[in-house]
Amino acid sequence: MAALSDPHGFEFSAAELEFLAEDETIEIVPNMRMEPLNLICGDFGPFHPQIASQVPLWLAVALKKRGKCTIRPPEWMSVEKLTQVLEAERDSQKSFQPLPFHYVEISRLLFDHAREDIPDFYMVRSLIEDIKDVRFHKIGTGLEVISQRTAALKLEHLTAMEVNVVRPFVVRALQTFYKLDSPEMIQESDSRANRRFPTANHGPKRQLKR
């Protein structure tokens, strides 16, 4: 992944964030019978028709594509829960509501592959977009306090996508402030100023012989 292969890279792509989110577990209701799956990430199953089971999101999507199950959306994806989160986000201008770290990626995967399994799909999608917008507005407001005196920045309950967007900006901003405030940079700036405006020589002028 880019952020791991590049020592100076701080950002993950949207596809990489989705790849990480696919390890989150979710509940499915199989419509088939299957023996347990012994995978590197764990053992899942056995699967029986109409008996709910917990599996990684990537496995749920794979089974869903083959028509082998339905996916039960997480509790936080209900209209009631999302409405409460949105109202709380709007009421508090400085704090963020706790949400699953990969809520954006999880919801996007479910929207793409299991929209028919999501009650009130359009309302749920609209609420999640509104929550994203409100949170990003608050993040932008919070970043305005960064100055040369900022040693660290604490924003609680940020999610993967939000951290991915904010971290490169914050790191570069703080590095720039520290560089401008360093003694070496100040000394170099003074040296350049002296070279640009040399001190005038006010010593005695040579007298001409008559």
Side-chain angles (χ1 to χ4, degrees):
M1 290 184 286
L4 298 179
S5 60
D6 181 4
H8 302 292
F10 297 104
E11 296 181 67
F12 290 95
S13 67
E16 288 169 334
L17 288 177
E18 281 194 5
F19 176 79
L20 296 174
E22 286 176 345
D23 284 334
E24 299 290 329
T25 57
I26 198 166
E27 191 170 73
I28 65 170
V29 180
N31 55 23
M32 48 67 182
R33 190 179 301 274
M34 184 186 295
E35 295 298 317
L37 297 176
N38 306 117
L39 308 174
I40 295 177
C41 58
D43 299 330
F44 304 97
F47 302 98
H48 301 283
Q50 305 307 313
I51 297 180
S53 181
Q54 293 282 335
V55 298
L57 183 54
W58 64 265
L59 179 56
V61 171
L63 293 174
K64 176 67 178 179
K65 287 180 177 179
R66 290 164 175 78
K68 302 296 185 181
C69 73
T70 58
I71 298 177
R72 286 183 177 173
E75 291 184 5
W76 57 265
M77 280 190 70
S78 68
V79 171
E80 180 182 0
K81 294 287 187 181
L82 292 173
T83 301
Q84 292 174 358
V85 171
L86 180 58
E87 291 175 352
E89 292 285 0
R90 287 172 171 168
D91 290 341
S92 176
Q93 297 301 315
K94 294 184 178 180
S95 63
F96 297 86
Q97 296 302 303
L99 284 166
F101 190 58
H102 287 289
Y103 89 97
V104 173
E105 294 77 29
I106 293 172
S107 61
R108 184 182 296 126
L109 285 166
L110 295 182
F111 293 160
D112 290 343
H113 303 290
R115 64 168 58 191
E116 65 275 10
D117 295 338
I118 303 173
D120 302 310
F121 164 73
Y122 293 104
M123 179 63 71
V124 168
R125 186 173 63 178
S126 177
L127 286 169
I128 288 178
E129 289 299 321
D130 290 343
I131 290 170
K132 284 169 53 180
D133 292 342
V134 172
R135 289 171 68 94
F136 267 114
H137 176 74
K138 291 197 289 188
I139 290 172
T141 302
L143 294 180
E144 292 177 358
V145 304
I146 295 180
S147 67
Q148 285 180 273
R149 295 184 178 182
T150 303
L153 188 66
K154 183 178 181 180
L155 295 172
E156 293 184 327
H157 303 311
L158 292 190
T159 61
M161 182 195 65
E162 294 160 350
V163 171
N164 193 53
V165 172
V166 170
R167 179 171 52 191
F169 171 80
V170 172
V171 170
R172 284 193 288 264
L174 294 179
Q175 286 176 343
T176 300
F177 286 142
Y178 293 155
K179 185 177 180 181
L180 293 175
D181 202 34
S182 66
E184 294 81 3
M185 180 61 68
I186 294 174
Q187 185 176 0
E188 182 180 350
S189 177
D190 292 342
S191 299
R192 289 179 180 176
N194 291 335
R195 287 197 300 269
R196 185 177 299 178
F197 303 107
T199 304
N201 183 10
H202 298 292
K205 297 180 179 179
R206 183 181 299 176
Q207 295 181 355
L208 298 177
K209 292 183 179 181
R210 294 182 179 179

